[in-house]
Amino acid sequence: MLAAMAFAPAPLATPSAAIPTPRSLFLCHLQFPSPLSSSRLKETSVAAPLEFSGSASLRWRAGVSFFPSFLNKKARSREDIKEELLAEIAPLDRGAEATDKDKERIDQIACELEAVNPIKEPLKSDLLNGKWELIYTTSRSILQVQRPKFLRPNGKIYQAINADTLRAQNIETWPYFNQVTANLIPLNARRVKVQFDTFKILGLIPIKAPGRASGELEIAYLDEEIRVSRGDKGNLFILKMVDRSYRVPL
C-alpha cells in the first residue's frame, strides 16, 4: 500500500498482489472572479437622481455597493482552512466512504490550504521528518475499495520521511503489516522521485523491488501538524504527524 501512498505506487502488495505502479501529479488551478460585466458597472456606478432629498440619497448610497463582493470578503486563516479540511475528512474512513462530491470538495479545500503553504521548500525543512499517519487519500490501490471491507487495510497506515538521509518508508498495520522502503531523489525543493528498494510482506518477508517500482511525490503543504502530498497520477494524500523522532531504516 505504501507504494501508492504519497510516493505514487499502489499499496504495499500482499503476497499475491502485483508490484505497485506510479500515481500522477495533480496541480491545483485557482479560479479568480471574471471582470465585472458592463451591466454590473451600470448598476453600481449610476449617480443618485438629482431630485432625491438628502436623506433619500443617503439611503440609496448605503444600499449600493461600489465594489464586488469578492473584494470585501476577508481571507480565511490557515487554521480555519485546516479545521474545515479535517472536519470534512473525519467521517470518510480515510477516503473509502467518499463520494465524488466529497472528493471534489476536499480537493478544493486542500488547494486553498496549499495556496497559503508556510513552508516554500519542504525538503529543506525539519518539519518533514518523522512518521506521518495517512488520514485521507483518493488512491484506490491503498483503500482497496473493490474488496469486501473485512479484507481491506483496516489498521492505521503510516508514511515516514527523513529528509536528511533521503529515505522514506510506508507502513501498513492490521491485517497485512506490509512495508516498503525507498530512496528519495530531489527534483526540486518540494518534489522528489521515489525509488522503492525493499518490500516486506507481512512485515517479515523481504522482497527486492524491481527497478520499475518508482514514482514521484510533491509536498504541496507542510506545517507542524499536517502534510498534503500529491502523487504523479493525480492522487491526493493528507497525513498528520504522529512521531517526529522516527527514523527510517537505511
Side-chain angles (χ1 to χ4, degrees):
M1 159 264 48
L2 198 147
M5 179 171 139
F7 302 119
L12 248 213
T14 58
S16 60
I19 293 297
T21 55
R23 302 269 171 262
S24 108
L25 180 68
F26 175 90
L27 297 177
C28 296
H29 298 283
L30 300 180
Q31 294 183 345
F32 296 92
S34 58
L36 293 176
S37 66
S38 58
S39 60
R40 175 65 173 160
L41 286 171
K42 291 176 182 178
E43 291 174 13
T44 57
S45 61
V46 171
L50 294 177
E51 65 268 25
F52 275 14
S53 67
S55 59
S57 176
L58 287 174
R59 286 198 302 272
W60 178 86
R61 292 180 184 276
V64 174
S65 172
F66 287 84
F67 299 96
S69 60
F70 70 84
L71 292 180
N72 295 323
K73 187 177 180 180
K74 185 178 179 180
R76 296 200 297 164
S77 70
R78 282 196 301 117
E79 291 304 315
D80 287 343
I81 300 169
K82 280 170 56 176
E83 183 178 347
E84 182 182 11
L85 181 64
L86 294 174
E88 289 285 343
I89 66 180
L92 298 179
D93 188 20
R94 206 158 44 205
E97 302 297 328
T99 64
D100 289 343
K101 186 176 181 180
D102 291 330
K103 294 175 185 177
E104 182 179 359
R105 175 60 182 153
I106 290 167
D107 196 270
Q108 289 173 347
I109 303 171
C111 281
E112 187 177 358
L113 190 60
E114 291 166 28
V116 292
N117 184 9
I119 308 298
K120 304 306 180 185
E121 297 184 323
L123 290 177
K124 298 180 180 179
S125 173
D126 289 339
L127 294 180
L128 184 59
N129 296 323
K131 182 189 283 187
W132 299 82
E133 180 186 346
L134 181 69
I135 57 176
Y136 175 83
T137 185
T138 56
S139 172
R140 290 177 59 86
S141 58
I142 291 177
L143 298 173
Q144 295 292 307
V145 291
Q146 74 278 9
R147 296 181 181 179
K149 194 166 185 176
F150 70 94
L151 291 178
R152 300 175 190 171
N154 292 308
K156 291 184 177 180
I157 297 174
Y158 301 102
Q159 181 179 79
I161 295 179
N162 292 148
D164 56 342
T165 58
L166 293 175
R167 292 285 288 167
Q169 181 183 25
N170 289 345
I171 305 166
E172 281 186 352
T173 57
W174 179 261
Y176 300 114
F177 299 95
N178 292 322
Q179 298 181 23
V180 64
T181 52
N183 290 313
L184 304 180
I185 304 168
L187 301 176
N188 56 39
R190 52 186 283 165
R191 187 176 179 184
V192 293
K193 178 181 178 181
V194 183
Q195 185 65 57
F196 296 94
D197 53 23
T198 304
F199 293 92
K200 275 192 177 180
I201 306 304
L202 302 176
L204 298 171
I205 307 168
I207 298 177
K208 184 176 175 58
R212 69 179 183 277
S214 66
E216 291 184 11
L217 180 70
E218 180 178 16
I219 313 300
Y221 176 87
L222 176 68
D223 68 17
E224 298 86 350
E225 304 169 313
I226 297 295
R227 171 161 62 89
V228 177
S229 293
R230 293 184 182 272
D232 59 340
K233 290 291 183 181
N235 285 313
L236 173 65
F237 306 92
I238 300 173
L239 308 94
K240 68 176 182 180
M241 172 54 67
V242 293
D243 183 358
R244 197 162 293 285
S245 66
Y246 184 86
R247 301 298 297 176
V248 177
L250 296 175

Short mmCIF file of all heavy atoms in Angstrom, two decimals, residues 12-17 19 176-180 198-207:
data_model
loop_
_atom_site.label_atom_id
_atom_site.label_comp_id
_atom_site.label_asym_id
_atom_site.label_seq_id
_atom_site.Cartn_x
_atom_site.Cartn_y
_atom_site.Cartn_z
N LEU A 12 1.17 -1.33 -0.60
CA LEU A 12 2.09 -2.43 -0.47
C LEU A 12 1.37 -3.69 -0.83
O LEU A 12 0.33 -4.00 -0.32
CB LEU A 12 2.52 -2.51 0.98
CG LEU A 12 3.98 -2.17 1.15
CD1 LEU A 12 4.56 -2.95 2.24
CD2 LEU A 12 4.75 -2.21 -0.08
N ALA A 13 1.94 -4.42 -1.72
CA ALA A 13 1.27 -5.59 -2.19
C ALA A 13 1.28 -6.67 -1.15
O ALA A 13 2.22 -6.83 -0.42
CB ALA A 13 1.95 -6.07 -3.44
N THR A 14 0.19 -7.43 -1.11
CA THR A 14 0.18 -8.64 -0.31
C THR A 14 0.88 -9.70 -1.13
O THR A 14 1.18 -9.49 -2.30
CB THR A 14 -1.28 -9.06 -0.03
OG1 THR A 14 -1.91 -9.23 -1.27
CG2 THR A 14 -1.99 -8.01 0.79
N PRO A 15 1.16 -10.91 -0.59
CA PRO A 15 1.96 -11.87 -1.34
C PRO A 15 1.47 -12.12 -2.74
O PRO A 15 2.25 -12.35 -3.64
CB PRO A 15 1.86 -13.13 -0.47
CG PRO A 15 1.68 -12.59 0.91
CD PRO A 15 0.86 -11.35 0.75
N SER A 16 0.16 -12.03 -2.95
CA SER A 16 -0.35 -12.34 -4.29
C SER A 16 -0.53 -11.11 -5.15
O SER A 16 -0.90 -11.19 -6.30
CB SER A 16 -1.71 -13.04 -4.16
OG SER A 16 -2.61 -12.20 -3.50
N ALA A 17 -0.27 -9.92 -4.57
CA ALA A 17 -0.54 -8.69 -5.32
C ALA A 17 0.63 -8.34 -6.22
O ALA A 17 1.74 -8.76 -6.03
CB ALA A 17 -0.78 -7.53 -4.33
N ILE A 19 3.34 -5.73 -8.16
CA ILE A 19 4.17 -4.60 -7.73
C ILE A 19 3.45 -3.31 -8.07
O ILE A 19 2.87 -3.17 -9.13
CB ILE A 19 5.53 -4.64 -8.46
CG1 ILE A 19 6.30 -5.88 -8.00
CG2 ILE A 19 6.33 -3.38 -8.19
CD1 ILE A 19 6.65 -5.87 -6.53
N TYR A 176 -2.43 -6.72 7.26
CA TYR A 176 -1.36 -7.25 6.41
C TYR A 176 0.05 -6.93 6.89
O TYR A 176 0.98 -7.67 6.61
CB TYR A 176 -1.56 -6.74 4.97
CG TYR A 176 -2.87 -7.15 4.38
CD1 TYR A 176 -3.85 -6.21 4.08
CD2 TYR A 176 -3.16 -8.49 4.16
CE1 TYR A 176 -5.07 -6.60 3.55
CE2 TYR A 176 -4.37 -8.89 3.63
CZ TYR A 176 -5.33 -7.93 3.33
OH TYR A 176 -6.54 -8.31 2.81
N PHE A 177 0.24 -5.80 7.56
CA PHE A 177 1.54 -5.41 8.11
C PHE A 177 2.62 -5.32 7.03
O PHE A 177 3.79 -5.60 7.29
CB PHE A 177 1.97 -6.38 9.22
CG PHE A 177 1.01 -6.41 10.38
CD1 PHE A 177 0.00 -7.37 10.45
CD2 PHE A 177 1.09 -5.43 11.36
CE1 PHE A 177 -0.90 -7.37 11.51
CE2 PHE A 177 0.18 -5.43 12.43
CZ PHE A 177 -0.82 -6.40 12.50
N ASN A 178 2.24 -4.94 5.83
CA ASN A 178 3.21 -4.77 4.75
C ASN A 178 4.01 -3.48 4.95
O ASN A 178 3.54 -2.52 5.55
CB ASN A 178 2.50 -4.72 3.40
CG ASN A 178 1.88 -6.05 3.03
OD1 ASN A 178 2.44 -7.10 3.30
ND2 ASN A 178 0.71 -6.01 2.41
N GLN A 179 5.21 -3.48 4.42
CA GLN A 179 6.07 -2.30 4.47
C GLN A 179 6.83 -2.17 3.16
O GLN A 179 6.99 -3.15 2.43
CB GLN A 179 7.09 -2.41 5.61
CG GLN A 179 6.50 -2.50 7.00
CD GLN A 179 7.58 -2.58 8.06
OE1 GLN A 179 8.73 -2.15 7.85
NE2 GLN A 179 7.23 -3.11 9.22
N VAL A 180 7.32 -0.97 2.89
CA VAL A 180 8.23 -0.76 1.78
C VAL A 180 9.12 0.43 2.12
O VAL A 180 8.68 1.40 2.73
CB VAL A 180 7.49 -0.54 0.44
CG1 VAL A 180 6.67 0.73 0.48
CG2 VAL A 180 8.46 -0.51 -0.73
N THR A 198 12.99 -2.09 -1.12
CA THR A 198 12.67 -3.36 -0.47
C THR A 198 11.23 -3.37 0.03
O THR A 198 10.81 -2.47 0.77
CB THR A 198 13.60 -3.63 0.72
OG1 THR A 198 14.96 -3.59 0.28
CG2 THR A 198 13.32 -5.01 1.32
N PHE A 199 10.48 -4.37 -0.39
CA PHE A 199 9.16 -4.63 0.16
C PHE A 199 9.28 -5.68 1.26
O PHE A 199 10.10 -6.60 1.15
CB PHE A 199 8.21 -5.16 -0.93
CG PHE A 199 7.89 -4.15 -1.99
CD1 PHE A 199 8.66 -4.08 -3.15
CD2 PHE A 199 6.84 -3.28 -1.84
CE1 PHE A 199 8.37 -3.15 -4.13
CE2 PHE A 199 6.54 -2.34 -2.82
CZ PHE A 199 7.31 -2.28 -3.97
N LYS A 200 8.46 -5.54 2.31
CA LYS A 200 8.39 -6.56 3.34
C LYS A 200 6.95 -7.04 3.44
O LYS A 200 6.07 -6.31 3.90
CB LYS A 200 8.87 -6.03 4.70
CG LYS A 200 10.37 -6.09 4.88
CD LYS A 200 10.75 -5.84 6.33
CE LYS A 200 12.25 -5.99 6.52
NZ LYS A 200 12.63 -5.73 7.93
N ILE A 201 6.74 -8.28 3.02
CA ILE A 201 5.40 -8.85 3.07
C ILE A 201 5.14 -9.36 4.48
O ILE A 201 5.98 -10.05 5.08
CB ILE A 201 5.27 -10.01 2.06
CG1 ILE A 201 5.67 -9.53 0.65
CG2 ILE A 201 3.85 -10.56 2.06
CD1 ILE A 201 4.90 -8.35 0.16
N LEU A 202 3.98 -8.97 5.03
CA LEU A 202 3.62 -9.29 6.40
C LEU A 202 4.64 -8.76 7.40
O LEU A 202 4.71 -9.20 8.55
CB LEU A 202 3.46 -10.81 6.58
CG LEU A 202 2.41 -11.47 5.68
CD1 LEU A 202 2.40 -12.97 5.87
CD2 LEU A 202 1.03 -10.87 5.92
N GLY A 203 5.44 -7.79 6.95
CA GLY A 203 6.44 -7.20 7.82
C GLY A 203 7.64 -8.08 8.07
O GLY A 203 8.54 -7.71 8.83
N LEU A 204 7.70 -9.24 7.41
CA LEU A 204 8.75 -10.22 7.70
C LEU A 204 9.53 -10.67 6.48
O LEU A 204 10.74 -10.89 6.56
CB LEU A 204 8.13 -11.46 8.38
CG LEU A 204 7.44 -11.23 9.72
CD1 LEU A 204 6.69 -12.49 10.14
CD2 LEU A 204 8.45 -10.81 10.77
N ILE A 205 8.86 -10.84 5.36
CA ILE A 205 9.47 -11.45 4.17
C ILE A 205 9.98 -10.36 3.24
O ILE A 205 9.19 -9.67 2.58
CB ILE A 205 8.44 -12.33 3.43
CG1 ILE A 205 7.82 -13.33 4.40
CG2 ILE A 205 9.10 -13.04 2.25
CD1 ILE A 205 6.59 -14.04 3.84
N PRO A 206 11.32 -10.17 3.16
CA PRO A 206 11.84 -9.10 2.29
C PRO A 206 11.85 -9.51 0.82
O PRO A 206 12.20 -10.64 0.49
CB PRO A 206 13.27 -8.91 2.82
CG PRO A 206 13.64 -10.23 3.40
CD PRO A 206 12.38 -10.84 3.92
N ILE A 207 11.45 -8.60 -0.03
CA ILE A 207 11.48 -8.80 -1.47
C ILE A 207 12.11 -7.58 -2.11
O ILE A 207 11.65 -6.45 -1.89
CB ILE A 207 10.06 -9.02 -2.04
CG1 ILE A 207 9.43 -10.28 -1.44
CG2 ILE A 207 10.10 -9.13 -3.56
CD1 ILE A 207 8.00 -10.52 -1.89
#
